[in-house]
Amino acid sequence: MALPVLLPGRALLLLLLPLLLPLLLGPRASDARQPALWPMPVSVKQSPKLLHLAAGRFQIVLNSSSTNGNGCFLLEEAFRRYYQYIFDYSKIPEDHHQTYVGPELQELVVTVDSVIDCEDYPDKKSLESYKLSIQETWAQLESPSIWGVLRGLETFSQLVYRDPCGAYVVNETMVEDFPRFGFRGILIDTSRHYLPMKTILTTLDAMEFNKFNVLHWHIVDDQSFPYQSTTFPKLSSQGAYSPLHVYTQRDIQVVLEYARLRGIRVIPEFDTPGHMDSWEKGQRGLLTPCYKGKEKTGSFGPANPILNSTYVFMAKFFEEISQFFPDNYIHLGGDEVDFTCWQSNPDVTEFMKQQGFGKDYEKLESYYIQRLVDIIETTNKSYIFWQEVFDNEVKLKKDAIVEVWVGENYRQELQKVTAAGYTTVLAAPWYLDYISYGQDWKKYYAVEPLDFNGTKSQKELLIGGTAALWGEFVDETNLTPRLWPRASAVGERLWSPKTVRNLDDAYERLTEHRCRMVRRKIAAEPLFTGYCEL
């Protein structure tokens, strides 16, 4: 049997010294690392000097000069949330942190120009800029609005990390930041597959971590109608997959408030006149009956554009939607309208003759959309349409938004839409439901939204983009890993300066950011081989 080798005391000390020094001296400048910030801020200046944070002593506080005697639940909730993000994911016992010797960061002081918008919802005019200064003993986060504070808190939380000894540290840092685009959206589809509330709320969490600010909720479609209307309750009782696959008014209020607390707008989409099969189940006579010769086939096409009852229904329905959803915009769809059923219906063809439309069914679609637009305008809401509505020359208000989604020619479409003076949002190159082997996040990251022919004033009309995850093959089991971190690539393209494009640097930062999301309970899929330190 081999006997243990007994080292003399001096040799043993030399052997253990590399392990003991970090405990005795605390973190050193050489332990500093570049922060894995995502999305990358406009400006980051960092010193190698490290500051320690003790979970039991560090606090996030609101500068009293910001409050004018009024509290702000939204900020208080954000302070609590980010304190947990910073400290709760360590498995190191708290008393271990107290061995640290060196300068300590004791508080983050938040200064906001006004908290009067604490009860409001974020909108397109929200100011999300912020300045963050981290120096010995204290740090300051300044923003003109509560929404900028939320973005700055996310950056601060990303700057804090654990040193080799397990202590929480942060480099002295100066950050100045603001988003490149004001509209940064994620589209989820709850019709093809119902998404449980937990999945939607998890999506909102991940959106906050990636500085997205718009949830485009494609809530109903041909397959099912899960929205529970108070005015027309049969729409969901007959049109949803089952009574268990319905979003009640209370459910939606939870989503709206959860999103608001994270600085996220919720824009609902009720697509019309196409994609409406599920509507007919609870509202008979709304859709156009299809014919074969002189006989009805029993199937239905788009909304029936020739009946006054269609518009009476739409007026009542969208009055409810406008009152229930607080955002200034409603998405009205308008895409992929199949004219076959209209063409087969003798009443519709007779109406076409009376209106002088000939056989141009795009004119009939425009007639329907124009009447719908007139209805929406009475609710004091603005609207978003898919690009076909613009292509069919419907007269839209100048504050309407055209969302460009079709294929490879999206640059030409952007040029046409903005030349006509309309605000636009880009979705075409960011359809995340299309998956391929390998690191397809790179192709989303490579997109330059302003890469289209147009004047400076035209390019100012492009206000942002949407990463869309349609639901044909997505439900609660795979939505989160399909979205993240692939959508993160879109997030940086919409937030960070145009010059932030280095793929190697992005890979390193996104790999760490993905691990950070996993630590925060977001089941983001890996970019490539490796592992996360949890």
Side-chain angles (χ1 to χ4, degrees):
M1 182 177 68
L3 295 176
V5 178
L6 298 179
L7 297 173
R10 189 171 184 179
L12 181 62
L13 181 61
L14 289 173
L15 181 64
L16 294 177
L17 192 57
L19 299 175
L20 293 173
L21 274 176
L23 296 175
L24 296 172
L25 300 178
R28 300 161 297 166
S30 59
D31 292 323
R33 65 183 184 187
Q34 291 299 313
L37 295 177
W38 196 280
M40 179 60 75
V42 172
S43 173
V44 181
K45 298 178 181 178
Q46 201 166 40
S47 160
K49 184 175 182 179
L50 293 176
L51 309 174
H52 170 239
L53 291 79
R57 293 190 295 272
F58 179 79
Q59 58 182 344
I60 306 174
V61 297
L62 182 62
N63 189 330
S64 58
S65 64
S66 300
T67 65
N68 295 322
N70 299 315
C72 180
F73 174 75
L74 186 149
L75 291 179
E76 292 169 358
E77 169 62 19
F79 296 169
R80 180 203 61 78
R81 192 165 67 246
Y82 274 96
Y83 183 91
Q84 291 184 339
Y85 292 151
I86 293 168
F87 293 113
D88 270 9
Y89 300 97
S90 170
K91 297 179 182 178
I92 306 298
E94 173 58 28
D95 59 358
H96 184 85
H97 302 159
Q98 307 304 318
T99 62
Y100 177 82
V101 176
E104 180 178 331
L105 182 65
Q106 297 182 348
E107 64 180 6
L108 172 63
V109 179
V110 174
T111 301
V112 59
D113 287 354
S114 174
V115 296
I116 60 173
D117 52 358
C118 253
E119 299 304 318
D120 290 343
Y121 286 84
D123 59 26
K124 64 178 182 179
K125 297 180 181 178
S126 297
L127 301 175
E128 296 177 284
S129 63
Y130 65 91
K131 293 181 180 180
L132 177 62
S133 173
I134 303 171
Q135 52 193 347
E136 189 169 333
T137 73
W138 73 294
Q140 182 167 355
L141 171 60
E142 302 174 274
S143 176
S145 79
I146 57 175
W147 317 117
V149 171
L150 295 177
R151 307 305 171 227
L153 287 172
E154 175 60 34
T155 298
F156 178 80
S157 73
Q158 294 184 10
L159 286 167
V160 177
Y161 62 97
R162 283 180 289 154
D163 75 352
C165 303
Y168 292 100
V169 292
V170 63
N171 291 78
E172 286 195 337
T173 307
M174 298 286 291
V175 177
E176 293 191 22
D177 200 15
F178 53 87
R180 185 181 180 201
F181 294 99
F183 189 110
R184 305 179 306 281
I186 294 289
L187 181 150
I188 59 171
D189 173 5
T190 56
S191 174
R192 275 69 180 228
H193 286 97
Y194 174 86
L195 297 176
M197 287 287 290
K198 181 179 179 181
T199 302
I200 297 176
L201 300 184
T202 297
T203 300
L204 290 168
D205 283 334
M207 288 175 64
E208 179 180 41
F209 303 153
N210 291 273
K211 296 189 172 76
F212 283 94
N213 66 349
V214 178
L215 178 67
H216 176 164
W217 190 352
H218 187 86
I219 194 167
V220 304
D221 208 294
D222 284 329
Q223 290 75 15
S224 72
F225 197 105
Y227 169 74
Q228 189 178 73
S229 168
T230 56
T231 310
F232 302 99
K234 287 186 178 180
L235 286 171
S236 60
S237 65
Q238 302 296 319
Y241 283 130
S242 82
L244 298 177
H245 298 89
V246 168
Y247 301 107
T248 66
Q249 300 281 302
R250 178 169 176 77
D251 289 337
I252 295 175
Q253 286 287 6
V254 169
V255 171
L256 292 173
E257 181 63 6
Y258 200 88
R260 186 184 77 88
L261 292 176
R262 288 153 181 78
I264 298 171
R265 304 162 57 189
V266 178
I267 298 179
E269 181 184 353
F270 292 91
D271 200 351
T272 177
H275 292 281
M276 293 183 67
D277 286 357
S278 64
W279 301 52
E280 178 70 18
K281 297 175 183 177
Q283 186 66 27
R284 300 297 180 184
L286 182 61
L287 303 188
T288 305
C290 302
Y291 280 74
K292 185 175 183 180
K294 296 182 179 181
E295 301 295 327
K296 292 183 180 180
T297 64
S299 60
F300 297 90
N304 195 327
I306 71 173
L307 298 180
N308 191 56
S309 59
T310 299
Y311 304 103
V312 171
F313 166 83
M314 290 296 177
K316 292 180 180 179
F317 180 75
F318 280 106
E319 176 64 26
E320 174 187 322
I321 297 303
S322 67
Q323 292 179 2
F324 191 61
F325 286 89
D327 198 83
N328 293 329
Y329 281 84
I330 301 172
H331 202 303
L332 299 175
D335 64 314
E336 298 181 320
V337 181
D338 186 350
F339 298 147
T340 305
C341 193
W342 282 350
Q343 292 167 341
S344 75
N345 187 295
D347 296 326
V348 172
T349 55
E350 178 61 27
F351 180 84
M352 293 275 288
K353 292 178 183 177
Q354 294 173 5
Q355 295 294 321
F357 293 163
K359 295 184 179 181
D360 188 349
Y361 286 87
E362 288 184 353
K363 289 183 178 179
L364 180 60
E365 180 186 5
S366 297
Y367 170 86
Y368 170 86
I369 293 293
Q370 195 64 61
R371 291 196 63 174
L372 180 63
V373 164
D374 293 341
I375 289 170
I376 299 302
E377 289 179 358
T378 66
T379 68
N380 295 318
K381 292 284 190 181
S382 296
Y383 41 80
I384 306 175
F385 279 108
W386 298 111
Q387 68 183 66
E388 288 95 324
V389 173
F390 166 81
D391 293 339
N392 293 341
E393 300 182 350
V394 175
K395 295 178 181 179
L396 304 175
K397 290 194 305 182
K398 284 303 180 181
D399 64 347
I401 296 175
V402 177
E403 188 157 14
V404 174
W405 74 276
V406 177
E408 297 297 324
N409 295 324
Y410 69 84
R411 294 180 181 86
Q412 292 91 324
E413 186 74 11
L414 289 174
Q415 192 277 329
K416 290 191 298 181
V417 172
T418 56
Y422 288 111
T423 301
T424 186
V425 168
L426 178 62
W430 293 318
Y431 267 42
L432 304 189
D433 45 304
Y434 296 121
I435 59 174
S436 58
Y437 185 80
Q439 299 185 53
D440 58 354
W441 69 271
K442 292 182 178 180
K443 69 179 180 181
Y444 306 131
Y445 192 79
V447 173
E448 170 45 51
L450 297 181
D451 183 19
F452 66 93
N453 292 327
T455 64
K456 180 181 178 182
S457 60
Q458 280 182 253
K459 296 191 177 186
E460 289 174 349
L461 290 171
L462 177 59
I463 60 172
T466 300
L469 187 60
W470 297 96
E472 287 87 348
F473 303 99
V474 175
D475 66 6
E476 62 181 300
T477 65
N478 63 345
L479 179 134
T480 300
R482 283 217 180 166
L483 260 182
W484 312 106
R486 296 159 80 235
S488 302
V490 183
E492 179 153 290
R493 186 54 54 237
L494 294 174
W495 178 282
S496 301
K498 180 180 180 180
T499 54
V500 179
R501 303 195 69 87
N502 185 291
L503 267 179
D504 292 335
D505 174 69
Y507 175 81
E508 296 297 327
R509 289 185 294 110
L510 188 53
T511 298
E512 175 54 33
H513 182 57
R514 177 259 170 175
C515 290
R516 179 165 50 233
M517 286 194 284
V518 171
R519 290 192 291 271
R520 294 181 182 184
K521 314 305 180 187
I522 305 297
E525 68 180 16
L527 277 74
F528 196 49
T529 57
Y531 74 102
C532 292
E533 295 182 2
L534 299 179

